[in-house]
Amino acid sequence: MAETSSIAITLEQKIDDLKIAIENKSDNVLRIVEDILSIIKENGIDSVPDVSIVPCVQLVLLLRWKSNEVIAVVANILAEVAKSEAGRERLATLQPPIAQQLVNLLQQKSSDLSDSGNLAVVTQVCRALGNMCYESERGQTCVLDAEGLEVLLSVLERAVLLANNTPGASTLRSVIIGFLLNLTISQDVMHQKLVALGGIGLLCQVLELDRESEDGCSTTDHAIVILGYLLDQVSSGDTILTDKVCQMLVQVLETFSSSSAEICESVLELLQTHAEDDSVKQSLAQHGLCQLLISLVEKYQPLVDDADEDTQRLFKLATDLIVIILNGDVSMTMLYGDGKGEVYLNMLKWVVADNADLQTTGILAVGNFARCDLNCIKMVESGVHKDFLLLLEKHNGHEDDARLPHALLSALRNLAIPTSNKAVILKAGALDILTPMINSCTLPVAFKLLATLRMLVDGQDQAAEELGKNSQLLKKLVEFYANDCHAGVQGEASRLLAWIIKNSRSKDVGATVIQCCALPPLVSMLCSEHAVMRNEALLALTLVSATQLPIAEKSLAESKVCARVAGLLTEHGSSMEKPMLCNTLALLGELVSSDVLAKDLAQNGVHESLTGLTTRKDISDLDELVTKLSSALKTT
């Protein structure tokens, strides 16, 4: 307490000296303000018991002093005062408004930054204004009302023209960026204005200059934060992350990859947030981001397991971003390089790495490369599918971490899309490895597993028949369909049933399907919101009914197939595409051969629905079939 009082007494003595010196226009003004600054800096503004004793009125008068040295020291004092909440409050309430005077001074002195005196003044004035805005809406409002944003950007335009070897240039840019951050951090409307005033280009120029300077870390960090705010606030239709910005961010990441984890995290978070845009993916791929991330991940991966959460988060940001970039068609093609691209070859190495995180990233990346039939064919020719199957045999989806089997199945499904690949993958033992997984995997893994099996049986009658005669598998599909916890699994279970029937075209498979109570899921598919699934159900039910109607009759009746078909015709009959209508009529043709089902169809008004089809001009060639079915139901 005594020490604080002593500081106050010393400060008050200096203030009295200053008042006299100002009145006498003494040459001692510079020495006195330097002493006041020294006292405040050495002890901190919080050590001053009452900030009101700081002679702000006199200091404001000195802002118009003839000496740049004096003005710079005075602005420095104001910057120190504004470091405390009480100091910011006092400066914001001064009349006439001190913010306006400081902004005017900033505009005046920045006209010639080649003058070292002007540069020193501008630096300290920016510090003062920036500190006034720190966590202070009142301070921000004062500066914005004084058109501080516009003036600040004009100062920044001049500051970026200064070479890095200009004394004080790097410090000035750092202070300006800090001021800009404090000024706009909670002023969302200002972000739009900042973009309109060319702020993005200026930030890029700052990043270009300060990534090359030894003390540019703080400036870069703040500039990245501001850039992130701008990208979050501007209209989604505006392209802010241009090719030039992407290139700059990649260069910044490369520069600070070994020296600042904070900057790396900020850059990666910003890129990941906005990399959904395909043009951004393409730019990042062109400027070598994936290669840079691969080198960083491989360099630091051995240390990740024992690292802190921040380092692990950085590792995940980097690996996730590689996968995101490969989601773009152009970027994927570019980095695949006809199977010889550096990124693609590195991802293949990661697939068989000892680290689960690297493996998962590699598999997801290869899965993204496998979004083109030509790529898929080349991958299978090179044996990529064998690596996937070996890994699936080891990681079958029952462990706590389902990421790896989930990624493997996603990639394997993509590989199985080209017709020529299906037989090759099946020959490698895919069914022997995949089918047992259905009994132990989690629902998210099951979703991918069912989709993969469905893709493998397409056009493969033997594989479809093998699955269709597997009672345990079919019962599990029925169980999945009855599970309301995962709509995707429900849909894939019923679709796989339909595809097994369609591709096997086997009477025995139909019998097994009926025995396993697997018809109800197919009947329910008739009400799907997706036309493709309704059509798949129609075809599967027709095939079963054509060969096994006597034993299917009871199950079909209990699952209300007639009501579902009637509803299908009522709701979609007038707009249903002709191929699907043909399948509907084909199913009706099978069902009417059963007296029980024919009576049920008649009671559900199918006769009337068929009569309504005669108004469709585009199906005149089906009139005879429609009339025949309608007559059969009418006489039932």
Side-chain angles (χ1 to χ4, degrees):
M1 188 70 177
E3 183 180 352
T4 301
S5 299
S6 173
I7 294 169
I9 292 170
T10 303
L11 191 57
E12 285 174 342
Q13 289 173 347
K14 292 294 179 182
I15 291 168
D16 289 339
D17 293 342
L18 178 61
K19 291 175 181 176
I20 295 170
I22 292 174
E23 186 177 344
N24 295 331
K25 297 183 179 179
S26 169
D27 292 338
N28 290 330
V29 166
L30 177 59
R31 179 183 57 79
I32 296 170
V33 292
E34 285 178 336
D35 288 345
I36 292 173
L37 176 62
S38 179
I39 292 169
I40 295 175
K41 274 196 167 186
E42 287 177 7
N43 299 282
I45 189 63
D46 290 329
S47 67
V48 180
D50 183 3
V51 76
S52 64
I53 68 173
V54 178
C56 290
V57 174
Q58 286 74 25
L59 293 175
V60 170
L61 291 174
L62 288 176
L63 290 176
R64 295 190 291 273
W65 206 253
K66 60 185 178 181
S67 165
N68 271 342
E69 282 186 283
V70 170
I71 297 173
V73 175
V74 168
N76 199 340
I77 293 172
L78 294 173
E80 293 298 318
V81 170
K83 283 184 176 180
S84 73
E85 185 177 351
R88 289 192 288 276
E89 185 70 18
R90 181 159 188 235
L91 292 178
T93 55
L94 278 178
Q95 292 298 330
I98 192 172
Q100 184 66 69
Q101 297 178 67
L102 288 170
V103 169
N104 292 344
L105 184 61
L106 196 59
Q107 191 168 25
Q108 174 194 343
K109 295 293 183 179
S110 64
S111 60
D112 181 14
L113 291 178
S114 62
D115 182 293
S116 60
N118 285 347
L119 191 146
V121 170
V122 169
T123 301
Q124 295 305 326
V125 170
C126 283
R127 282 190 64 236
L129 287 167
N131 287 352
M132 280 181 63
C133 295
Y134 178 72
E135 294 185 349
S136 171
E137 288 188 19
R138 175 176 281 186
Q140 289 173 328
T141 301
C142 289
V143 175
L144 291 171
D145 287 347
E147 297 186 348
L149 179 60
E150 293 84 347
V151 172
L152 179 60
L153 288 182
S154 69
V155 176
L156 184 54
E157 284 179 357
R158 299 183 180 101
V160 296
L161 297 176
L162 298 173
N164 267 338
N165 58 3
T166 302
S170 178
T171 300
L172 173 60
R173 288 194 299 271
S174 179
V175 171
I176 291 173
I177 294 299
F179 176 13
L180 186 60
L181 178 61
N182 288 348
L183 178 61
T184 61
I185 195 168
S186 61
Q187 302 282 342
D188 291 350
V189 70
M190 287 297 109
H191 296 139
Q192 291 276 5
K193 190 171 185 179
L194 187 51
V195 172
L197 292 171
I200 298 292
L202 287 172
L203 286 171
C204 282
Q205 286 181 268
V206 170
L207 291 171
E208 174 68 30
L209 287 166
D210 286 284
R211 73 183 183 86
E212 297 173 355
S213 66
E214 293 182 0
D215 55 350
C217 192
S218 175
T219 311
T220 300
D221 194 17
H222 290 161
I224 295 295
V225 172
I226 297 170
L227 189 58
Y229 286 137
L230 297 185
L231 291 168
D232 288 340
Q233 295 300 326
V234 296
S235 170
S236 58
D238 296 332
T239 303
I240 300 300
L241 212 58
T242 61
D243 182 71
K244 181 179 179 181
V245 177
C246 289
Q247 181 181 17
M248 180 54 57
L249 291 173
V250 173
Q251 291 172 343
V252 168
L253 184 64
E254 185 174 13
T255 298
F256 292 97
S257 58
S258 300
S259 58
S260 176
E262 292 79 7
I263 289 178
C264 290
E265 183 172 348
S266 296
V267 171
L268 292 178
E269 283 181 338
L270 190 154
L271 291 176
Q272 188 177 101
T273 301
H274 299 280
E276 293 305 322
D277 186 292
D278 282 347
S279 64
V280 173
K281 294 186 183 80
Q282 182 177 343
S283 292
L284 295 177
Q286 284 176 332
H287 296 300
L289 178 62
C290 287
Q291 291 89 332
L292 174 60
L293 293 176
I294 289 169
S295 65
L296 293 176
V297 166
E298 291 183 343
K299 179 178 179 181
Y300 294 108
Q301 184 273 318
L303 309 174
V304 169
D305 291 339
D306 300 322
D308 55 27
E309 289 185 8
D310 289 341
T311 303
Q312 291 177 354
R313 172 173 166 72
L314 199 59
F315 181 86
K316 189 174 189 314
L317 282 170
T319 52
D320 286 351
L321 191 51
I322 293 171
V323 177
I324 291 172
I325 291 171
L326 293 173
N327 277 330
D329 290 339
V330 176
S331 54
M332 177 272 287
T333 302
M334 183 190 311
L335 297 174
Y336 181 65
D338 198 28
K340 301 173 184 176
E342 178 186 351
V343 173
Y344 172 66
L345 295 176
N346 272 289
M347 292 303 100
L348 289 180
K349 291 178 183 176
W350 285 12
V351 167
V352 293
D354 293 331
N355 180 275
D357 292 322
L358 285 186
Q359 272 191 318
T360 302
T361 301
I363 293 161
L364 289 171
V366 172
N368 280 344
F369 282 120
R371 287 183 295 108
C372 159
D373 281 4
L374 187 59
N375 292 1
C376 289
I377 292 169
K378 288 186 176 182
M379 288 182 197
V380 169
E381 286 175 350
S382 67
V384 171
H385 63 294
K386 294 179 182 178
D387 290 332
F388 287 173
L389 290 171
L390 286 172
L391 286 169
L392 277 168
E393 197 168 15
K394 181 179 179 182
H395 304 279
N396 53 20
H398 69 271
E399 61 258 47
D400 293 336
D401 187 359
R403 293 177 305 156
L404 197 57
H406 193 276
L408 283 164
L409 289 165
S410 295
L412 191 61
R413 177 197 173 278
N414 286 355
L415 290 179
I417 292 174
T419 302
S420 60
N421 281 0
K422 300 178 191 296
V424 179
I425 297 173
L426 288 168
K427 188 176 180 181
L431 293 188
D432 292 338
I433 294 170
L434 298 179
T435 305
M437 289 178 64
I438 203 165
N439 295 310
S440 59
C441 62
T442 62
L443 287 176
V445 172
F447 175 62
K448 294 296 183 182
L449 173 62
L450 298 178
T452 304
L453 288 171
R454 180 168 60 84
M455 202 55 58
L456 282 170
V457 300
D458 185 24
Q460 305 297 310
D461 55 348
Q462 291 184 358
E465 188 168 357
E466 180 179 338
L467 294 184
K469 291 180 178 179
N470 187 330
S471 299
Q472 187 178 10
L473 171 72
L474 296 184
K475 288 176 182 177
K476 192 66 180 180
L477 293 181
V478 174
E479 181 184 322
F480 278 143
Y481 179 78
N483 191 327
D484 293 331
C485 297
H486 198 296
V489 171
Q490 280 185 312
E492 282 297 341
S494 58
R495 292 193 78 188
L496 180 55
L497 280 169
W499 282 45
I500 287 172
I501 294 168
K502 178 185 73 172
N503 287 285
S504 67
R505 296 183 180 268
S506 163
K507 183 177 179 179
D508 291 340
V509 167
T512 309
V513 167
I514 297 166
Q515 291 166 8
C516 294
C517 302
L519 287 181
L522 295 173
V523 173
S524 294
M525 273 179 76
L526 295 174
C527 297
S528 171
E529 60 182 305
H530 305 292
V532 66
M533 291 180 65
R534 296 196 296 269
N535 199 42
E536 289 169 359
L538 286 167
L539 182 56
L541 288 169
T542 301
L543 290 169
V544 173
S545 300
T547 58
Q548 300 287 359
L549 187 58
I551 63 173
E553 182 182 74
K554 181 181 179 181
S555 179
L556 289 172
E558 289 177 349
S559 58
K560 298 183 171 27
V561 68
C562 298
R564 296 292 171 86
V565 173
L568 187 63
L569 284 170
T570 301
E571 187 173 351
H572 302 287
S574 60
S575 59
M576 191 183 297
E577 292 186 2
K578 187 175 179 179
M580 186 172 173
L581 181 58
C582 288
N583 287 335
T584 305
L585 297 176
L587 176 59
L588 284 173
E590 299 299 336
L591 297 180
V592 295
S593 62
S594 160
D595 292 342
V596 173
L597 296 176
K599 183 178 180 181
D600 202 356
L601 286 169
Q603 289 174 344
N604 278 281
V606 173
H607 164 67
E608 289 78 6
S609 297
L610 289 173
T611 303
L613 293 177
T614 57
T615 59
R616 285 185 56 170
K617 306 283 188 188
D618 61 322
I619 60 167
S620 56
D621 57 323
L622 298 177
D623 284 349
E624 184 179 345
L625 176 58
V626 171
T627 302
K628 181 181 177 181
L629 289 170
S630 181
S631 299
L633 292 173
K634 187 177 181 180
T635 58
T636 298

